Amino acid sequence: MNGRWRTAAALLLSVGLAAPAGAVGLAAGGYGAYHIPIVQDDAGSGALYGAKAKVGLGSIFVLEPSITWITVGEKDHTEEDLDLEFSTKGGSIQTIGLNVNLGGFPIEPGASLYATGGIGSYTLKPDASYKDDETRVGYNGGLGLAIKPTPLFDIDVSGRFIVIPLDGGGSRKSVGIFAGLNFYFGV
Amino acid sequence: MRNRRALLVFPLVALFAAGCLISGQLILVQVFGDGEASADKTVHRIFVDLKDNEDYDEHKDKLKSLEYFGFFVTVTNEGPNEAKGEMYLSLVDLGVSPSIATIKAQATPIVENANLGTGETRTITFEESQDYITNLKEIEKAVLEGVFYLYGITDIGTAVEYENFIVVASINVAL
């Protein structure tokens, strides 16, 4: 088990142990999919993957801690006037976050649409030796759908808009498409 | 009905709380030509005025920080030995042919260890230039200022010909 997965497992276990007294259930799982930068001339699309827990609180509210690794792809540029082609390198982003969901924790088999908003620590790791890693507070929000074919697990798909404010002004914005499985405990 | 409204408003509130939705990263490309060499070609000055760039000029009041910096240049090592190309940045003009000691004392190194083989002519691409860049924060100050001077030298003071210097910069822009 490498360091990343140990960190993710520890995070999810700690959330499970710290689940509030009013919790109606706990689910945990993994996801993967795609990250698409928006209005970023120097960043390309890439894969993302991660792990999260879902702590159901009552009939609507769900706490969702997560850890995610995002690949920022290279971006190709062409300057036709200058007969010039080049690529900016990209890098990666590691996030640890906490979202609050409205819905998305179906107790019985079925489907549940949900809205989500959250805050997290986003560590930007550019693939350039002259740039240091930078950890910033970022925000995300979006919509998702949890489909629970059996009491044991759900299939969770969501789209989330991500904003990472940068030091000195400006921000990096992107859309993350997430798809994964969550296994339910004690429901 | 109230729950449905909350479902739609909730994610938007979180995003607008960031207060910086209208922003992005802009790539600037500007050609600065061959520059000017000292008589013995051991020092090469390139005057960079980014205000000549349409995109830079259009967004000059919204530029926040520098993300990436690099360049294209074709270089010929005219000296008898292999050398390491270096480039220094100065916000003030040190003249066309200052001494190498003056450059090192008064300017900031921003390019280091670019291999120049004996008699070799080659083009350093933007991608390759990424391996040689240093002191990004000093470059950022200069890029946000818009006007600065670059001095190309080598570690052993050999003669070098520079051609077709092109700057590439990725800048954070926000309203």
Side-chain angles (χ1 to χ4, degrees), chain A residues 124-140:
Chain A
L124 309 171
K125 298 168 176 277
D127 191 9
S129 60
Y130 57 88
K131 275 182 71 75
D132 295 330
D133 292 355
E134 185 181 2
T135 298
R136 308 288 303 166
V137 173
Y139 309 88
N140 74 84

Side-chain angles (χ1 to χ4, degrees), chain A:
Chain A
M1 183 183 276
N2 67 28
R4 288 179 173 183
W5 289 110
R6 271 200 299 272
T7 305
L11 175 74
L12 298 178
L13 181 61
S14 65
V15 168
L17 293 174
V24 298
L26 173 70
Y31 50 86
Y34 212 53
H35 176 254
I36 306 162
I38 298 173
V39 206
Q40 296 188 43
D41 274 358
D42 59 5
S45 301
L48 65 79
Y49 63 95
K52 70 179 180 183
K54 295 204 286 190
V55 180
L57 305 172
S59 59
I60 294 180
F61 288 98
V62 179
L63 288 180
E64 186 194 276
S66 63
I67 183 165
T68 307
W69 291 271
I70 298 169
T71 300
V72 180
E74 288 188 0
K75 181 130 186 202
D76 297 331
H77 301 266
T78 301
E79 295 288 327
E80 289 180 0
D81 296 350
L82 303 174
D83 194 21
L84 208 62
E85 291 183 356
F86 61 95
S87 300
T88 42
K89 278 187 174 177
S92 63
I93 304 171
Q94 183 176 323
T95 81
I96 295 175
L98 179 66
N99 276 45
V100 176
N101 301 348
L102 299 178
F105 196 90
I107 304 298
E108 303 295 332
S112 175
L113 182 69
Y114 69 91
T116 183
I119 189 169
S121 167
Y122 290 75
T123 301
L124 309 171
K125 298 168 176 277
D127 191 9
S129 60
Y130 57 88
K131 275 182 71 75
D132 295 330
D133 292 355
E134 185 181 2
T135 298
R136 308 288 303 166
V137 173
Y139 309 88
N140 74 84
L143 294 171
L145 180 66
I147 300 169
K148 199 174 185 186
T150 79
L152 292 177
F153 71 92
D154 72 20
I155 300 163
D156 190 333
V157 180
S158 64
R160 303 179 186 208
F161 186 49
I162 302 164
V163 179
I164 309 171
L166 298 172
D167 194 18
S171 63
R172 287 200 177 267
K173 290 182 291 300
S174 55
V175 169
I177 307 295
F178 301 75
L181 290 177
N182 297 297
F183 294 90
Y184 284 66
F185 306 98
V187 175

